[in-house]
Amino acid sequence: MIVSKSTMEPPGGSTDRVVPHRLNTSHVNPEAALRWSKRRSVQGHLRLMARLARMGPRELGQRVARSLSKRLGFAPTKTNAPLDSIFAHTSQSNVASIQEYLSKQLNRSFYFGPANRIEIVAKIRNAIPDADEKVCKLAHAIGSDGLHYLGQKVRIVAGEIDWQADPISGKRCWTAGVLDEAEAIGVESADVKYVWEVNRQQFLPILGRAYWFTGDIRHAQQAIALIDDWITKNPVGLGVNWCSHLEVAMRAISWMWTMPYLLTLPGLSEAFLNRWIDSIESHFHHLRRNLSIFTDPTNHLIGEATALWMLCVCFPNLPDADQEKQKALLILTREVERQIGADGVNREQATSYHRFVLDFYLQILILAKRNEFALAPAIAKQVKSMIEFVAAMAGSNGVVPMIGDSDDARGIPFLELVGWDFEDTLSTGAVLFQRREWKRSARPLAEISVWILGVDAVDEYNTLSYEDDQKGRAVFPEGGYCFSESSDPSGHAQLIFDVGPLGLWPNAAHGHADALSILIRLNGKLLLTDPGTGAYFGAKNERDYFRSTAAHNTVTIDDWDQADLYDTFKWVNPMTVKLVDSHTLNGFSYFVGTHDGYRRLRAGLIHQRAVFSTETKGWIIVDQFDGRGRHSIKRHFNFHPGTELEQIGHQAVLAWDPIANNGLRFDFPLPENSPPSYIDIAQTGQWSGRYGDIQIVPHMAVETVGIPTVTLFAFITPIFSDRESQRTNDKSEMGIRKIDAHDSYVCQRRSPRPGTAIDEFVLVNPSRRNATMPSGHSCNARFAYVQQTAEGIVRRALLIGEGASLIGPNFQLSCPKHENSASFSKVIQ
């Protein structure tokens, strides 16, 4: 029996705080439910011991040097190089000025140079008619209304902005002396992300493009004034803007992208260029001495090495440029395989950081090609695979789901590209790899593709034929993502099944406890969704919620997360997640995943989830548990803002999007004599479409209290019209019964259709014993699906399990020898 629960609680069951987290509940010692070795206090000591064991002499020396420099108030980045060092190193340059030298160097080495101005502007205007208007509007906003940074508007005016202050409150919360990144993050009165985002100076290419599009020198003068103001007010190595090595790298990349625009300004001040070049060289020395090889070998290290490599390519007269270029390239070659799986999925398990890293490697790949530098084949291979994953995630409209953390970061400094629209990545990838199927989600050509690939990108993109019906990969086994489609003449639905690990270990900094979660979008728009990020350094309970299991569309046991939060960017007790089975054939898809996150409980268990699709009728979700004890099992479902939830009868819920006029029907049948389930529907979920912006959204939890041997079914059906009939009629008849003592079940669903009734039978049979189904068939498969008419004619069937067979009146199906699956499909008029 399924009933509606009268008492509404936040997801996860905690009532003492708006944001649930197991350690905030009213239990006197909630960790008593954990095995002793899995308690956070024990794990904290184990983490420290493991970290010390990994610390070699080089890392120890680096840490001692930084500690001493901090104690002495000494900024080690500052050098005694002359102001015009890059220019001075080129005695054979035969140029009259540093402006001329830099122009020649960037014409030769960068994606575009001052010499390309007329051609590239004309090409963009012809291919993208409104590009100049959009850029000029953004350029005007920089000093007037302000630009959007992490959901907040910030005005950026030289002489007025305090580069080292929180741009929201205007307060200085960090010392102006030597500072390290941990200290900057640890300030509780402000979020340092807002400071760093502005100081990346990714707004500068906007001013540069506006200058080239319009010829208005005021845009270039504004950029020069902002760069000069920043250099004056941020002494090398001191303050909040020099303590994060990634932020130094991001600013250096922004400056390299800005330089070609400003070098076309007539009468550009040599004194300014000298100061700018001197600061660029300081950025170079900072990076070469402070790469996060030991402290943060994640996307931070990739970004830092990218900036160092690009600096060496664009300014080959920097000290030891060849040596540093090779060092950076070795790091980038190693990390492209360490941080990215063979199937192209970033191991941080966060779609935003996947693109962030991809931005860096795209810049490397394209710049190396322009300069005829040889790269390891792994870089091109991994970049191609990463874009293939983006194409699968983006679907038909180019919008990628929010999975894992996000802080709106882009490695390419075009500020307007933030958000969840990944069309620019697919546009560039389509031209770079000549993949016409990526054009399906990328249209039209993105402006950035022309800047980074050159003017030929326009014609190359236009010659790619458009493929609307091209289907991409359904399974990314190492990254842990499976894609299942369901369509009928009125609409298209897609389910994404997350069978990926927690994140890149040892911290899984940007991963969420979302193992076996599902996402569903209808006609390209997410309805069953991921919560997003909230903010990194806001209220701790908010940060904890957005990473929690209850905030994702999966199962909690006794309100516990699948792993344990340690601090803002660290986890302990990570779950092991496996894709156990995967079949896509003849219109069917069948995926099975499992994780052991709840084995750390004293009465522990393993969760297994199967996702089955018949292509035209939605999905069947089967949750099974192997373990001991009596537990509260909650299946969580989190919805996009604006979704309306309505319970239909005792066992169904309709989730409706009134704007798109479509929705999902959820049916939760239970076997006879099983413990009752309770459906909670309330506005208790939280959703963050962009960093720092939080909305309250509908959340549904279906709770069953019982022993782990219970098998839970959920039928999810896309509804593209006829909401009223769903509301007033319980159109499907369902029943589940246990067929033997070995935890095997068969579920029957009858769905009336015009002129006939269709029966569906689902067999879940872990024991593989021969079972008689209500359809009249005998079957020994571990999973079987049969669809037949009221007259007993089989329309479709699927078997899973080597040696499995399905035998019935006038019908027989069996798995071929050494095969794990077999299917049957027949169109019956």
Side-chain angles (χ1 to χ4, degrees):
M1 178 179 64
I2 296 184
V3 297
S4 181
K5 210 172 184 181
S6 58
T7 302
M8 297 298 181
E9 301 173 352
S14 174
T15 57
D16 58 341
R17 302 178 87 167
V18 173
V19 179
H21 187 253
R22 181 61 186 176
L23 299 185
N24 296 327
T25 59
S26 58
H27 292 70
V28 176
N29 181 16
E31 287 203 322
L34 293 174
R35 299 174 191 268
W36 180 84
S37 62
K38 297 298 183 179
R39 296 184 181 184
R40 290 206 315 167
S41 57
V42 176
Q43 286 293 313
H45 288 94
L46 293 176
R47 278 184 59 87
L48 179 60
M49 292 169 61
R51 186 69 186 92
L52 291 172
R54 292 196 307 269
M55 193 177 296
R58 283 184 59 202
E59 180 180 358
L60 189 61
Q62 188 181 83
R63 289 179 176 273
V64 169
R66 287 179 182 172
S67 178
L68 287 174
S69 68
K70 183 180 173 184
R71 284 177 176 272
L72 297 172
F74 171 67
T77 303
K78 185 62 179 175
T79 67
N80 295 318
L83 289 177
D84 59 348
S85 56
I86 294 177
F87 182 61
H89 290 320
T90 314
S91 58
Q92 71 278 20
S93 60
N94 296 319
V95 293
S97 67
I98 190 171
Q99 183 175 359
E100 184 180 344
Y101 161 69
L102 290 171
S103 295
K104 286 187 175 182
Q105 182 60 40
L106 293 183
N107 285 335
R108 181 170 53 247
S109 302
F110 199 58
Y111 308 103
F112 59 94
N116 304 120
R117 176 179 179 177
I118 295 175
E119 183 183 19
I120 200 168
V121 166
K123 205 73 172 180
I124 290 174
R125 278 181 171 156
N126 184 58
I128 313 168
D130 61 345
D132 53 353
E133 181 181 345
K134 290 180 178 178
V135 169
C136 291
K137 185 177 180 181
L138 286 170
H140 175 74
I142 290 173
S144 57
D145 295 336
L147 292 176
H148 280 284
Y149 279 98
L150 305 175
Q152 302 289 333
K153 274 193 172 183
V154 180
R155 285 182 70 248
I156 307 170
V157 179
E160 295 182 16
I161 185 170
D162 186 341
W163 298 104
Q164 298 192 37
D166 173 10
I168 310 304
S169 66
K171 296 179 180 178
R172 282 202 175 201
C173 305
W174 300 269
T175 178
V178 178
L179 187 70
D180 62 39
E181 186 173 5
E183 289 176 319
I185 291 172
V187 171
E188 296 182 357
S189 56
D191 187 342
V192 73
K193 281 295 300 178
Y194 289 95
V195 183
W196 286 341
E197 285 296 318
V198 174
N199 282 274
R200 288 179 176 183
Q201 300 215 319
Q202 292 187 326
F203 54 82
L204 290 174
I206 293 173
L207 293 169
R209 286 147 61 207
Y211 167 50
W212 273 23
F213 280 134
T214 66
D216 187 341
I217 65 172
R218 288 176 295 180
H219 295 303
Q221 290 169 341
Q222 185 180 359
I224 291 167
L226 287 165
I227 294 169
D228 215 18
D229 190 55
W230 191 95
I231 294 170
T232 301
K233 295 177 179 177
N234 289 273
V236 176
L238 302 177
V240 68
N241 294 318
W242 286 95
C243 67
S244 171
H245 316 316
L246 176 64
E247 303 310 314
V248 174
M250 298 293 288
R251 188 164 50 251
I253 292 174
S254 295
W255 284 0
M256 282 185 276
W257 273 88
T258 305
M259 188 170 282
Y261 303 118
L262 301 187
L263 288 173
T264 62
L265 182 67
L268 183 60
S269 167
E270 291 277 308
F272 163 72
L273 278 178
N274 280 329
R275 287 194 299 276
W276 195 11
I277 288 298
D278 181 49
S279 189
I280 286 174
E281 186 161 350
S282 294
H283 282 66
F284 164 77
H285 285 297
H286 181 101
L287 290 171
R288 69 186 293 202
R289 294 169 179 167
N290 294 287
L291 293 174
S292 300
I293 296 170
F294 306 116
T295 54
D296 202 349
T298 57
N299 62 78
H300 284 226
L301 178 59
I302 290 174
E304 294 157 13
T306 298
L308 181 61
W309 184 84
M310 289 177 66
L311 285 166
C312 295
V313 170
C314 293
F315 307 110
N317 296 104
L318 283 164
D320 304 318
D322 286 340
Q323 176 184 335
E324 295 300 326
K325 182 172 64 178
Q326 290 304 315
K327 179 178 76 174
L329 191 56
L330 284 172
I331 292 170
L332 291 164
T333 304
R334 181 189 69 218
E335 295 303 312
V336 80
E337 294 186 295
R338 189 183 75 86
Q339 296 193 39
I340 300 161
D343 57 5
V345 181
N346 187 290
R347 290 193 171 105
E348 292 206 75
Q349 300 298 127
T351 47
S352 177
Y353 284 96
H354 179 98
R355 179 176 62 176
F356 186 52
V357 168
L358 180 54
D359 279 350
F360 293 128
Y361 278 108
L362 276 171
Q363 290 178 92
I364 295 160
L365 190 62
I366 296 168
L367 198 60
K369 184 179 180 181
R370 175 167 172 75
N371 287 274
E372 299 181 344
F373 291 156
L375 298 177
I379 292 180
K381 175 181 175 293
Q382 294 291 73
V383 168
K384 187 176 181 180
S385 296
M386 290 179 79
I387 301 176
E388 190 168 12
F389 177 65
V390 168
M393 276 289 183
S396 60
N397 64 352
V399 178
V400 167
M402 306 181 300
I403 297 177
D405 276 349
S406 169
D407 62 357
D408 293 349
R410 290 300 305 260
I412 297 174
F414 276 45
L415 199 60
E416 71 270 28
L417 297 180
V418 301
W420 295 98
D421 189 333
F422 283 32
E423 288 184 355
D424 66 279
T425 301
L426 294 167
S427 169
T428 301
V431 176
L432 183 61
F433 294 104
Q434 293 294 293
R435 292 286 293 270
R436 61 182 183 269
E437 66 269 28
W438 293 346
K439 191 174 179 178
R440 176 172 62 99
S441 301
R443 56 181 187 180
L445 179 69
E447 183 193 343
I448 181 59
S449 300
V450 186
W451 292 110
I452 197 169
L453 291 168
V455 293
D456 292 341
V458 175
D459 294 333
E460 291 181 31
Y461 190 79
N462 290 336
T463 57
L464 290 174
S465 60
Y466 174 73
E467 293 196 4
D468 188 32
D469 297 326
Q470 182 72 26
K471 287 189 176 182
R473 291 171 57 183
V475 182
F476 293 79
E478 189 174 345
Y481 293 97
C482 306
F483 297 83
S484 174
E485 316 290 327
S486 180
S487 301
D488 66 23
S490 57
H492 176 264
Q494 182 189 53
L495 180 145
I496 302 171
F497 185 31
D498 184 346
V499 202
L502 183 60
L504 183 63
W505 208 240
N507 295 326
H510 296 298
H512 292 180
D514 57 1
L516 312 189
S517 178
I518 58 174
L519 305 173
I520 297 178
R521 53 185 166 198
L522 305 179
N523 292 331
K525 180 181 177 182
L526 278 167
L527 186 66
L528 193 63
T529 185
D530 188 278
T533 299
Y536 291 158
F537 310 116
K540 181 181 183 298
N541 59 341
E542 287 179 355
R543 172 68 173 146
D544 291 352
Y545 170 75
F546 284 97
R547 295 188 289 170
S548 72
T549 302
H552 298 82
N553 307 310
T554 183
V555 175
T556 58
I557 301 297
D558 299 331
D559 297 330
W560 281 93
D561 289 331
Q562 296 165 342
D564 292 309
L565 296 161
Y566 190 70
D567 65 18
T568 305
F569 291 110
K570 293 183 181 69
W571 292 84
V572 292
N573 296 324
M575 62 282 194
T576 299
V577 192
K578 294 180 181 178
L579 178 61
V580 177
D581 214 346
S582 169
H583 299 275
T584 54
L585 68 166
N586 203 17
F588 294 105
S589 65
Y590 177 76
F591 308 117
V592 181
T594 183
H595 80 85
D596 63 357
Y598 299 121
R599 282 289 301 274
R600 71 191 196 282
L601 302 178
R602 286 184 179 276
L605 47 78
I606 290 176
H607 175 206
Q608 176 176 288
R609 169 169 279 187
V611 176
F612 169 73
S613 171
T614 63
E615 191 179 63
T616 58
K617 299 197 67 176
W619 300 274
I620 301 170
I621 314 296
V622 183
D623 289 300
Q624 294 177 287
F625 308 90
D626 181 18
R628 58 195 178 87
R630 184 176 179 84
H631 300 277
S632 166
I633 302 168
K634 287 183 183 176
R635 290 172 284 174
H636 296 271
F637 302 90
N638 298 272
F639 298 90
H640 194 274
T643 305
E644 299 174 357
L645 300 186
E646 180 179 358
Q647 187 161 345
I648 302 172
H650 295 297
Q651 63 181 19
V653 172
L654 180 64
W656 194 259
D657 181 346
I659 297 176
N661 197 35
N662 56 36
L664 295 169
R665 177 183 169 124
F666 296 81
D667 289 276
F668 302 105
L670 278 174
E672 295 178 1
N673 302 318
S674 291
S677 288
Y678 303 92
I679 297 179
D680 278 354
I681 298 174
Q683 295 285 331
T684 54
Q686 297 191 40
W687 183 85
S688 176
R690 60 191 306 173
Y691 189 93
D693 181 25
I694 297 175
Q695 300 181 50
I696 303 300
V697 294
H699 172 271
M700 175 171 65
V702 182
E703 180 180 13
T704 304
V705 178
I707 58 177
T709 54
V710 67
T711 296
L712 302 175
F713 290 80
F715 288 75
I716 305 176
T717 308
I719 307 295
F720 293 104
S721 60
D722 200 20
R723 177 186 185 183
E724 194 59 35
S725 66
Q726 290 290 329
R727 175 184 289 151
T728 57
N729 298 302
D730 190 1
K731 297 174 66 176
S732 296
E733 299 175 12
M734 292 195 188
I736 299 177
R737 62 185 179 88
K738 198 168 186 178
I739 56 177
D740 63 22
H742 296 275
D743 202 28
S744 297
Y745 295 89
V746 65
C747 180
Q748 179 179 0
R749 173 168 70 166
R750 169 164 292 186
S751 300
R753 286 189 173 186
T756 185
I758 303 299
D759 284 311
E760 294 176 281
F761 304 93
V762 180
L763 173 68
V764 177
N765 186 23
S767 68
R768 294 291 308 271
R769 296 197 176 191
N770 204 50
T772 301
M773 302 174 66
S775 61
H777 297 88
S778 175
C779 184
N780 64 347
R782 69 172 179 269
F783 180 90
Y785 172 82
V786 178
Q787 183 187 115
Q788 67 181 28
T789 65
E791 294 76 22
I793 301 174
V794 175
R795 294 166 51 112
R796 310 193 71 186
L798 175 73
L799 297 180
I800 302 294
E802 186 176 352
S805 62
L806 178 72
I807 302 173
N810 304 315
F811 181 81
Q812 183 171 338
L813 178 68
S814 61
C815 292
K817 190 175 182 180
H818 305 305
E819 294 289 336
N820 265 317
S821 60
S823 66
F824 169 81
S825 183
K826 182 178 180 180
V827 177
I828 298 177
Q829 301 296 331

